[in-house]
Each structure stands twice: as C-alpha cells, then as structure tokens.
Amino acid sequence: MESNILSNQKLNKNVDIFVYSHKPFKPLVKNHVYKVLTNSHAESKEFDTDLAIYRDYDGDNISDKNLMYNEYSGFYWLWKNYPLNDYIGMNHYSRYYTCLDKVPDINEIFKKKRIVLNDPVKLVWNGRRYNNRTWYEEWHNVKDFDLLKDIIKDLFPDYIDGWEKMENSPVCYNSSMFIMKKDDFLEYCNFIFPILDEIRIRRGFYNSDDCRKWVEEHKEDYIRDRHLYYNVEMQSRIVGYLAERAMNTYMYHNGDKSFENNASIIGWANVGK
C-alpha cells in the first residue's frame, strides 16, 4: 500500500518517518521517507525489506528499558543519534498514516499544522463514557496516573493547564505516533525524558524486571478479572502508558488547535511474519 503522491512525486526529501518494530514484518509502504527502526528484541532477526534499517541499541541508547518504555526507547535513540531532518515521524509496523496522501508536499501540512497525530481514541467501554483519569483507573493503576501528575507539577509546573485538559478529556491520542518539526521534536524530548526518568526513580524501576516485580507485588491494583488481557506483562509497560498521557499533556499545553488531528490509523492487524 504505497502512497500514490509520494511514489509519483519525490517531494518530501526533508522528512524521515520511522516504522518501529520488534520483529520482521512486511512494510505497507515502500517509499524513501520511511525507515525501519528496531529494538534489541529483533537483534538476531533478518528483515526482508528495501527500507533502510536502524537499531535503537546502537550508540547512546536505552534499548534495555524497551519493555518499560515501549516506543520511547526508539524516540530516545533518534534524539541522541540520528541526524534529524526538517521533519521527523514515527509509526508502527502495523499502523500507518494516511494523511500524506492528501497533500502534494509535507510542507503543505505544516503551513497550518504544528504536528500530525493519529486519530484520538474515544474513551468508551460497555456503554460508559470516561475521561482520561477514570479510564486509567478502569484499565490500569490510577496511583501511577496521579504520580505522573505530581511529577509534571514538580518538573514542569507551567504544564498543569495541559494536564487538566488531558485529565478531563473524553479522548486520548494513543500509540505515541506523530510527525513533528525537528525543533518541536527536540523540545518534546527535553520534556518527556526527564518525566520518564523520574517515574522510574520514584517507583524504583531500574530495569524491566523491577517493573514486572512491582506489578506482581501490587496485583490487586493492576489485575482485574474483567480485563484479563491486561496481565502482568501488559501492565508492566507502566512507563509507556504514562508517556502517552504526558504526550497529551504536552499537546494541550502547547495549544490543541495547532495539534488538531490530521492522520488516521490504517488498521491494527499484525502484519509481521
């Protein structure tokens, strides 16, 4: 599924979009703007693709914390190692943007938009409507959510307005997918990584095993019979789940109108082999 516009007009030479994956997969696009970024779980695996391949365990990296940080170990690698282009993006091996097909040039998007995000998820389950706090309380451990609030208040007190908008919103921009201008990406990294580090410090998470042990020791706060999919392994991704809420906070603080959604997800199916 290749972008018609991007395949016919090689206009977007100033953007790199990384497809993040932990295993070999068949890319839905074969265009020069897309690159594969893998983590240490795929270290011994071969990728059958013509796309350029980068690995988040080379150079300055936190790939050993991937089970906690999820995509953010990839973000960190880009921040610290990659020669950033004018625009930088991230999507997943099973989720791709469609927005680039709608305009002839990435620069056209950013004449009016500051960032491209995936479609927001409406927080509804079993006919009940939620906001971000009550949703987190339903599916995870709300004590972690409140810890994130305390950390943002301590490290970035000016962002409390963004936090309050995020907390009360009935939608959430999940998956940590984006396309940003280089300067915005650098600013975002300087915001998000001190927060993620502080979560680990205050919870005592120094490696992925610590996170798993924490969940196992506090199962009553994390595991619910009505949500069996969210087992110990899934709930051990605490830092990654909180990172999504911090990204929403960052977005709302910087003006939700300039962050208006301009992307959609192309399916959630596992397309890896």
Side-chain angles (χ1 to χ4, degrees):
M1 181 174 171
E2 186 171 351
S3 162
N4 293 328
I5 291 174
L6 291 183
S7 62
N8 294 328
Q9 303 180 45
K10 303 297 186 180
L11 296 176
N12 293 285
K13 295 181 179 180
N14 58 343
V15 58
D16 292 316
I17 301 177
F18 286 84
V19 185
Y20 196 65
S21 179
H22 64 287
K23 62 180 181 180
F25 68 104
K26 184 178 181 179
L28 295 179
V29 291
K30 296 180 179 179
N31 191 281
H32 69 286
V33 302
Y34 289 91
K35 282 84 177 169
V36 174
L37 180 60
T38 73
N39 58 44
S40 56
H41 303 293
E43 184 172 3
S44 61
K45 300 173 183 177
E46 296 294 329
F47 284 73
D48 183 15
T49 176
D50 293 330
L51 301 181
I53 298 177
Y54 298 86
R55 307 183 189 281
D56 80 359
Y57 49 88
D58 291 333
D60 185 352
N61 72 86
I62 55 171
S63 191
D64 62 322
K65 298 180 176 64
N66 172 263
L67 292 179
M68 285 190 292
Y69 277 50
N70 306 151
E71 297 84 6
Y72 279 83
S73 67
F75 295 173
Y76 183 92
W77 185 87
L78 293 172
W79 178 35
K80 295 294 186 178
N81 298 279
Y82 190 76
L84 296 175
N85 219 325
D86 293 341
Y87 303 98
I88 189 79
M90 179 78 81
N91 55 210
H92 303 197
Y93 70 94
S94 59
R95 288 168 241 169
Y96 290 80
Y97 288 109
T98 59
C99 63
L100 293 183
D101 286 329
K102 300 176 182 178
V103 293
D105 187 348
I106 187 69
N107 297 282
E108 291 298 316
I109 293 177
F110 285 92
K111 284 182 178 179
K112 296 182 179 180
K113 307 296 182 182
R114 185 171 173 184
I115 190 173
V116 177
L117 295 169
N118 58 293
D119 286 332
V121 174
K122 295 180 180 179
L123 304 180
V124 179
W125 183 70
N126 268 0
R128 178 185 171 188
R129 297 179 183 276
Y130 296 78
N131 60 30
N132 272 285
R133 188 179 193 281
T134 55
W135 182 263
Y136 207 93
E137 186 174 22
E138 174 68 41
W139 294 90
H140 306 290
N141 180 0
V142 75
K143 296 175 184 176
D144 295 333
F145 188 90
D146 293 338
L147 172 66
L148 177 61
K149 180 178 182 178
D150 291 340
I151 290 172
I152 289 177
K153 286 174 63 177
D154 291 343
L155 299 185
F156 299 96
D158 291 345
Y159 276 76
I160 198 62
D161 64 328
W163 174 271
E164 291 173 350
K165 290 178 182 178
M166 178 279 297
E167 183 173 2
N168 294 303
S169 175
V171 301
C172 184
Y173 291 88
N174 288 345
S175 304
S176 297
M177 293 169 59
F178 64 82
I179 304 174
M180 294 184 188
K181 294 179 181 179
K182 173 183 176 180
D183 290 345
D184 278 337
F185 177 70
L186 295 175
E187 179 181 318
Y188 177 62
C189 288
N190 283 309
F191 167 79
I192 193 66
F193 284 106
I195 291 173
L196 302 189
D197 286 343
E198 192 65 19
I199 293 170
R200 292 195 307 103
I201 291 169
R202 296 193 189 188
R203 279 286 187 259
F205 300 156
Y206 296 99
N207 57 56
S208 296
D209 288 338
D210 291 337
C211 196
R212 177 184 289 272
K213 290 175 183 176
W214 172 271
V215 173
E216 289 177 342
E217 291 171 359
H218 299 82
K219 280 186 177 181
E220 67 279 4
D221 293 326
Y222 290 93
I223 308 302
R224 298 168 180 80
D225 291 340
R226 63 184 181 275
H227 301 313
L228 293 179
Y229 174 72
Y230 281 84
N231 53 24
V232 171
E233 179 181 355
M234 291 295 293
Q235 294 288 14
S236 296
R237 303 174 181 179
I238 295 169
V239 179
Y241 292 135
L242 293 178
E244 291 178 333
R245 278 67 191 182
M247 183 172 188
N248 280 253
T249 298
Y250 180 87
M251 176 192 72
Y252 285 121
H253 171 77
N254 284 287
D256 54 355
K257 289 184 179 179
S258 63
F259 285 89
E260 182 180 346
N261 171 67
N262 199 15
S264 59
I265 295 174
I266 305 178
W268 290 77
N270 183 349
V271 298
K273 296 180 180 180

